[in-house]
Amino acid sequence: MNKAPAKKPAIAIWELTLQCNLRCAHCGSSAGVTRADELSTAETLHLCRDLAALGCTGIALMGGEVFLRPDWLTISKEIKQQGMALSVITNGFVDADSIIQQLSTIGADCVMVGLDGGSAASHDAIRGVQGSFEKACTFLKAAKKAHLRTGAITTVQKSNFHELPTILKMVLEEGIDWQLQDGTPIGRFPRSHVLTEEQYYTLGLFIRATQKKYATRTRAIIGTHNLGFHSSHLPNLSAYPPWQGCNAGKTVVGIQSNGNIKGCLALSDEFIEGNIRTRSISDIWNDPTAFSYNRRFNRKELGENCKHCKFGSSCKGGCTTRSASMTGRIHDDPFCFYRFEQENLSCG
């Protein structure tokens, strides 16, 4: 069957290594030890060129911890030389001075640092290593001082939900961007730590109020792309256009450090579409049978949470990762602003 070519991937989220120097409670990859079969430097550089040829416009490097991979700078330079935007996501538990100098030299477009608490006690408890809060703050300050686009990423969970105002104060004092995402029960993160429905909706209200009061042209305050859906009271909270379904395999591609390709890195290994050692990224991406859960969506696939929803055809059941991890199936995301609002309306 002939099909129109797949859209170009707007961004690749690339797990450069699984090695990590922290032990974060919410780590969806259960990072810590380097994969035995991680891509070589030559393979990563070839992949950078292939991604550029495919039309990818930006790459976000993450881990594990990106800067523990010895050739991270070589790979980053290639990304920039290929004309793609370079974003780096780090825990900051590294030598800030030398690394930020290198990031500045190559012209990194964005640096994001995990910040999960408003104090050393809370952040270090979540991150699993004493001193990680101080290191993260040092890295954030140094990156900002170097005039790099700098932001903090907070994974919101029951243990730090009450600290959001304190973290906000830090973000405002430093004048940096802030991205908030809810923790999903994958990897090391237990379901018992996931926000309640009430907390999740309150998070949406908090983000919107914070955006209205503090977001500026030079300071972005956003929720992740999968936060919310079709609220009657809250606008889209992310930096993306209004939600039109999960973008995994449509505009986003995930790359594991061993070359496995997924639509989204957070998805389990059953969603692996291929490996770049046996098929090129172009072949995998343009395969008409790939990423079928999103590219060939049928409304009949909606689960109990979504099948009667008027937004079902466009929303496609919300976030694939959260749906799979919390309900055991896709197209059935239980965390939906619209559903919460309708249920409360009917209860009232």
Side-chain angles (χ1 to χ4, degrees):
M1 181 176 65
N2 293 326
K3 283 179 65 67
K7 291 182 179 179
K8 299 175 182 179
I11 187 167
I13 312 297
W14 189 347
E15 172 203 274
L16 205 57
T17 180
L18 199 59
Q19 183 181 3
C20 194
N21 46 12
L22 298 186
R23 187 78 178 173
C24 303
H26 56 264
C27 181
S29 302
S30 299
V33 180
T34 308
R35 294 182 195 273
D37 58 347
E38 292 190 348
L39 298 176
S40 67
T41 301
E43 287 172 321
T44 62
L45 298 181
H46 190 274
L47 179 54
C48 287
R49 293 188 283 271
D50 281 354
L51 284 165
L54 185 59
C56 184
T57 58
I59 296 179
L61 298 180
M62 59 181 295
E65 172 49 50
V66 170
F67 301 125
L68 295 183
R69 178 158 172 147
D71 57 358
W72 73 266
L73 183 59
T74 300
I75 299 166
S76 299
K77 286 179 178 178
E78 185 66 27
I79 292 170
K80 293 296 294 182
Q81 287 171 2
Q82 292 297 323
M84 295 178 286
L86 170 66
S87 300
V88 180
I89 302 169
T90 176
N91 59 36
F93 202 76
V94 291
D95 181 0
D97 290 337
S98 63
I99 287 175
I100 287 172
Q101 182 180 6
Q102 292 169 315
L103 289 172
S104 297
T105 300
I106 63 174
D109 296 277
C110 179
V111 179
M112 301 294 289
V113 183
L115 184 63
D116 294 310
S119 67
S122 57
H123 178 94
D124 290 359
I126 290 172
R127 290 278 169 168
V129 175
Q130 190 173 359
S132 57
F133 177 76
E134 182 179 352
K135 282 275 196 177
C137 291
T138 297
F139 200 99
L140 282 166
K141 292 176 185 290
K144 179 67 176 179
K145 185 177 180 180
H147 304 292
L148 291 168
R149 184 70 190 247
T150 308
I153 299 179
T154 300
T155 301
V156 187
Q157 47 204 283
K158 285 180 179 176
S159 62
N160 67 1
F161 180 76
H162 65 286
E163 293 206 24
L164 294 180
T166 304
I167 301 173
L168 169 61
K169 183 179 179 182
M170 296 172 61
V171 166
L172 295 176
E173 288 174 350
E174 297 300 328
I176 58 177
D177 297 338
W178 193 20
Q179 177 178 304
L180 298 94
Q181 58 193 29
D182 63 299
T184 306
I186 56 176
R188 279 198 290 266
F189 194 57
R191 184 160 183 161
S192 59
H193 291 191
V194 173
L195 298 177
T196 65
E197 291 186 357
E198 182 179 1
Q199 287 174 325
Y200 183 79
Y201 193 82
T202 302
L203 172 62
L205 294 172
F206 173 83
I207 293 173
R208 181 51 184 161
T210 303
Q211 287 176 334
K212 290 176 67 175
K213 189 171 184 179
Y214 299 111
T216 65
R217 184 178 58 83
T218 57
R219 181 197 294 122
I221 299 173
I222 60 173
T224 41
H225 62 280
N226 65 341
L227 203 155
F229 317 134
H230 304 293
S231 169
S232 300
H233 310 291
L234 297 169
N236 184 46
L237 298 172
S238 77
Y240 293 91
W243 179 262
Q244 293 293 320
C246 175
N247 282 312
K250 293 169 67 179
T251 61
V252 178
V253 63
I255 306 167
Q256 290 184 308
S257 57
N258 61 359
N260 284 337
I261 301 299
K262 303 177 182 179
C264 171
L265 267 182
L267 289 168
S268 63
D269 286 354
E270 67 182 291
F271 290 89
I272 293 172
E273 302 288 343
N275 186 285
I276 61 124
R277 285 181 170 133
T278 55
R279 299 173 66 198
S280 71
I281 182 65
S282 178
D283 284 348
I284 296 171
W285 182 263
N286 290 312
D287 186 334
T289 66
F291 313 102
S292 60
Y293 53 93
N294 275 340
R295 294 184 182 177
R296 294 187 169 192
F297 169 76
N298 187 311
R299 188 183 171 97
K300 294 179 181 178
E301 299 169 351
L302 293 172
E304 289 298 318
N305 290 311
C306 307
K307 65 182 182 181
H308 299 300
C309 179
K310 68 178 183 179
F311 295 110
S313 296
S314 60
C315 181
K316 302 177 178 63
C319 171
T320 304
T321 296
R322 190 164 52 219
S323 178
S325 63
M326 294 190 69
T327 70
R329 58 161 299 157
I330 59 177
H331 308 304
D332 196 31
D333 191 342
F335 275 16
C336 168
F337 288 169
Y338 177 73
R339 185 172 67 83
F340 296 164
E341 290 167 356
Q342 294 304 302
E343 290 179 353
N344 286 332
L345 193 65
S346 63
C347 289

